[in-house]
Amino acid sequence: ANESVDAVGSCHLIPEETGWIGRIAELVQSKRVGSDVKYIPSGNMLVKRQCFDVIGGFAPSLETSEDVDFCNRLKKHGYKIFLNPKICAVHYGAPMGVREMFVREMWHGKTMVQVFMSDIRSGRELRSVRNLRLIMFSGVNLLLILGMVSGIYPMLKGAYILFVTSA
């Protein structure tokens, strides 16, 4: 109804039967209402045709995170995006367990690195790279996982001896 808005949508709702891990993933989604949002998920987005055509649609080279790239290009061209939680769509791809969450995030991460490297190659300043915080967060998590594995592996190989004493 607002002609000044070029794209509108909202974050996805999750099915009732979604497990605890999917509910946590939903909490992480941006619930901010208005025009100062980073992106709108493409599964719940309406875009003016003219804006879609001007920015060239979705990038066919991206397997995932195409909505983040799409909204970044909309904003770069001066178009306004608006998040309205009254626009509802249920996403049946919510992870049901830890394994599904891990696989999904690995899939998303693959493209995030691609978008990050594209920004770096294009000469963009590091502080203005689109997903620098996400890349840094992923790097910290990778280091934590490597630390856990490096501590568990020697234990499994018998390199550590557990001493139990009684007082």
Side-chain angles (χ1 to χ4, degrees):
N2 184 338
E3 288 297 318
S4 70
V5 174
D6 301 299
V8 66
S10 186
C11 295
H12 298 112
L13 301 175
I14 59 172
E16 290 290 323
E17 64 274 7
T18 301
W20 66 272
I21 195 82
R23 295 197 184 286
I24 289 172
E26 182 196 29
L27 288 174
V28 173
Q29 286 189 43
S30 170
K31 300 293 182 187
R32 187 181 297 165
V33 176
S35 60
D36 188 24
V37 294
K38 293 187 184 288
Y39 81 101
I40 300 169
S42 58
N44 195 12
M45 179 194 311
L46 298 168
V47 182
K48 290 179 180 175
R49 180 64 188 221
Q50 172 192 350
C51 303
F52 185 90
D53 291 340
V54 166
I55 68 165
F58 291 100
S61 62
L62 297 177
E63 185 178 337
T64 181
S65 303
E66 72 289 347
D67 43 12
V68 175
D69 174 71
F70 182 82
C71 287
N72 283 330
R73 288 186 289 121
L74 278 172
K75 289 170 141 184
K76 185 178 177 182
H77 280 81
Y79 294 123
K80 293 182 184 175
I81 63 173
F82 190 87
L83 190 133
N84 183 344
K86 292 180 183 177
I87 302 171
C88 300
V90 177
H91 187 273
Y92 287 96
M96 298 302 269
V98 174
R99 184 183 186 295
E100 291 88 359
M101 177 68 135
F102 181 77
V103 168
R104 183 183 86 162
E105 293 309 308
M106 289 295 291
W107 179 65
H108 279 293
K110 191 170 51 173
T111 302
M112 283 301 187
V113 170
Q114 182 182 352
V115 171
F116 176 79
M117 293 309 294
S118 169
D119 281 350
I120 296 299
R121 282 191 298 270
S122 70
R124 197 172 233 185
E125 283 186 44
L126 193 57
R127 64 187 165 97
S128 68
V129 169
R130 289 178 270 189
N131 56 0
L132 179 60
R133 283 185 287 182
L134 181 61
I135 294 295
M136 290 171 53
F137 178 77
S138 299
V140 168
N141 281 317
L142 180 61
L143 289 174
L144 290 172
I145 290 169
L146 290 173
M148 283 184 358
V149 169
S150 68
I152 292 171
Y153 181 74
M155 250 184 356
L156 294 175
K157 291 301 236 176
Y160 296 120
I161 299 172
L162 178 63
F163 291 99
V164 179
T165 60
S166 62

